[in-house]
Amino acid sequence: MKLRAGFFDFTGCEGCQLAVLLLGEELLDLLALVDVVEFREVMDGRGGDLDVAFVEGSICGPEQEARVREVRERSRVVVALGSCADTGGVNALVHDLDPGASHGIVYGREHPPARTGLPRPVSEVVRVDVRVPGCPVDGAEFLQVLQSLAVGRTPWLPAYPVCVECRLAELPCVFERGETCLGPVVRAGCGARCPEGGDRCRGCRGLVDNPRESAYRKVLEEQGLSAEDMVREFRLFNLGGRR
Amino acid sequence: MGEPRRHAPESLWVGVSEVDVHRLVRALMSSYEVVGARLRRGRLVLDRLADHAELRLDYPPRVHSPKKFLFPNWERLFRFRLQGTVRLEAEHAAPPRVLFGLHPCDLHAVRILDDCLFDGQADTAYRAKREASILVGVDCDPDDHCFCTSLGTDRVAAGFFDLFLHRDGDRYLVQVGSGRGRALLERFAPGWLSRPPEDPLPLQPKRTRRRLVRPPEVLAAVLEDGYDDPIWEEIGERCLGCGSCTLLCPSCYCFTVEDRLRLDLAGGERVRVWDSCQFDQFTQLSGGGEARANQADRQRHRFFRKYKYLWDKHRRTACVGCGRCSRECLARIDPVEVLNRLVEEREARVRALRPPGGEYRPELAEVVAAEPLSPGVRRLKLRLPRSVTFQPGMFVTVSVFGLGEAPFTIASDPDGGPHLDLVVAAQGSLTRALHRLRPGDVVGVRGPFGTGYPVDAMAGRDVLLVAGGLGMVILRALLLALIARRREFGRIVLLYGARHPQALLFRDDLRRWLDRGVVDVRVIVEEGDRSWCGPLGNVVRLFRRLDLDPGRTVAAVSGPPDMYRFTTPLLLEMGLSPDRILLNLERRMKCGLGKCGKCRIDDLCVCEAGPVLPYDRVQGLREAIER
């Protein structure tokens, strides 16, 4: 029995759906496991009851809330696909800005104000069963989650932090060059892609289930970060509008 | 692993240039995958070489250990197909590989992996890689995190490697460490073998900034006392749970096993990947809950495993002092700091309990039996005011007040009670006084002290005991312990030489063991008498008819110093590994507390680290056997 699956986009850049489409040949293998019955990026129409709904983007305002509730009602499993859906993502930065000003920056002064509410993670509106974190999602991890759902296995995400993948890739620690990195508290699974590329981890995959908060705070304090500096580190992906 | 460990006692040393080494590597690459330190995107890593010129022989201790290749993070155990009936497909054999340029600490770490993964039912996935890998060692320069000098892992004995490149000015002195190493040179660098052999390089002591304040032998007891120490909460609070310490440890090997399905679900593979005792979910139970749920428990477990559990089992710390764990720890959890603090706290507790000089004050023990054992030798049975625990091989000091005190090996095995057997040969005034003791008399006793035989580590092996003269006393304690757990050991063979038949100790025991078939006892004396119908000569003669498998034998040798000079080369020639030759190197152990300095062999304190010492621990110490 193939899974009936749908993809639904809310407030986001749709980059996660593109990451899925860019899987190429593996995407064809994927179609052996699932019937994609709704996918606005590639098709029209509505698919009725679903086994899996992939929800991309954060939820902004009453209209989107109603739509995601409707998706929830006809779906056996709801998957939050990508950071925006999972934690609020980059969108949630707007919580800390003056709404009028940010609107002006994004849409220009002459455009009438759009009726958007503040972005929230999907899980603040409806129950989420499975998460595929990342900005954008990792195609291989997406496939692994989908395969797990197809064979009835609980999808697995690493419970350990990005540090593990830096060590395995034999990368020097970002802290050694005097920079701050969220790797010690952020969920692995990306293969430490950003440190590998010379950047630092900014936390797009969200925190591990059990972040060692006080140990990490001590490391940041020793590095000379103030409480405000620390909040700024987490704000990009991990506060979801919370202060 | 018999063949790779075979050690030629006349181990060969030849001088070569760096160019020669590169030529060898190039030749090896025609038949082997060669792994060594090389630059990859600006960083030095242990990796497969595509070209001999990539090889770096001087690289910092930071580079990953050979575990990366011997016990890789991702290893396919087997494949399965699910279409139709389920079919399992075995994995292919490991590729022949040379690990070229391993530091001494990492060579020791390979032996720890062997200990753990060959223990009980051998892990054949590891064994395949291990047997297909030739180990070539190279000298190193310790950095600020290394503490190998505290664990004796800054030097490495033949048998732990196939070849070793000792740096000697601008050239290398190559030490052949195994038959396999020699065969490798015969095939790929035959010119080296025709060069004039050179003298072994004298031991080059290394310097490390970090040092343990006590030898590794005491750490197990220190941890045992420190189970509830607040230090575990402290480092648990600091630990980020990232597992870097265990992932980078050259001897940590805990893993998890997972099924990876192909996308089309037609089949897949079962793989093993590294896991870490520091991770969430490592000890998670299917019904929920975790056995070690907090980071303090997890860190304590790591330390106990490194310095106590595996020490108790294999008489080797599972740490080689490479410093990778502290070097990469963002929270700066440093094993040297943790262990030194536990040692100091324990010693402070002892100081607080005892009045000044208390550790020198004996307990009073009653003589409960005294009997002659052979001419000039008597056995005393003492009852202490408390139950005593000890390993066979440990010793006590006995005082006769007014005459002084002297060390005596315990000749019995622990009976769970307060009793000890000692054997006393009349030599001087104190021992003559001990000969005059009768039941009911009282002497002073301190101890037990020292490190005895690793009986647990000997389980599953054949045991060869070689005794000369009074050296039989300590081996009787060992034999009693072995016989109490007889089924756990293979063959037990005792070779026992004495000056003349009357000097043979424990004759009743020997006859009983022989009759019951629990020990294969072979006795020889130098001068026979009319009653003697056994062989005559030195104990070395008894080696001629030995038929033990060197790969599964551990030897315990005890006798006068001369005897080690003859027997150790014989045992090495048989193919025994240096770490499985246990010598009784009793010295003048006066205080028993590691203080007085009288029992030191070079820098090693016999009353703490010994008197039972594996040969690889003293190999290269000039005062151990050579003098």
Side-chain angles (χ1 to χ4, degrees), chain B residues 11 23 59 72 157 162 170 178 198 293 341 392 445 583 598 622:
Chain B
S11 103
R23 266 192 208 121
Y59 64 91
D162 298 300
D170 56 358
S178 73
E198 303 194 29
R341 191 175 125 189
V445 173
L583 307 178
K598 296 168 92 76
R622 303 293 289 272

Side-chain angles (χ1 to χ4, degrees), chain A residues 26-27 29-30 32-33 143-144 147 150-151 153 156-161 163-164 167-173 175-176 184-185 196 208-212 214-216 218-219 222, chain B residues 40-41 43-46 62-64 68 73 236-244 247-248 258-265 274 278-281 293 295 298 327-328 330-332:
Chain A
E26 285 171 316
L27 191 65
D29 285 331
L30 171 87
L33 302 181
L143 286 176
Q144 184 246 314
Q147 187 187 52
V151 301
R153 190 161 77 171
W156 178 86
L157 290 177
Y160 50 76
C163 291
V164 171
R167 292 295 89 80
L168 295 178
E170 303 184 52
L171 299 173
C173 183
F175 282 90
E176 278 179 23
V185 285
E196 171 85 59
V208 289
D209 303 323
N210 173 23
R212 313 304 198 270
S214 68
Y216 186 56
K218 193 165 286 173
V219 170
E222 280 176 22
Chain B
R40 191 175 70 192
R41 279 187 279 170
R43 290 192 305 276
L44 278 168
V45 295
L46 194 67
R62 171 161 213 170
V63 168
H64 280 205
K68 183 176 166 186
N73 174 37
E237 185 69 16
R238 271 160 59 198
C239 176
L240 289 152
C242 73
S244 295
L247 298 171
L248 297 180
E258 296 168 0
D259 281 2
R260 302 275 164 92
L261 274 169
R262 277 166 41 183
L263 261 185
D264 62 7
L265 307 184
W274 293 347
Q278 302 305 306
F279 287 171
D280 291 330
Q281 302 178 357
Q295 218 56 35
R298 295 171 189 171
R327 204 176 284 121
E328 306 285 344
L330 199 51
R332 290 204 279 274

Side-chain angles (χ1 to χ4, degrees), chain B residues 385-402:
Chain B
R386 61 186 170 94
S387 304
V388 276
T389 54
F390 55 90
Q391 305 155 331
M394 289 171 70
F395 68 97
V396 291
T397 70
V398 177
S399 297
V400 176
F401 299 105

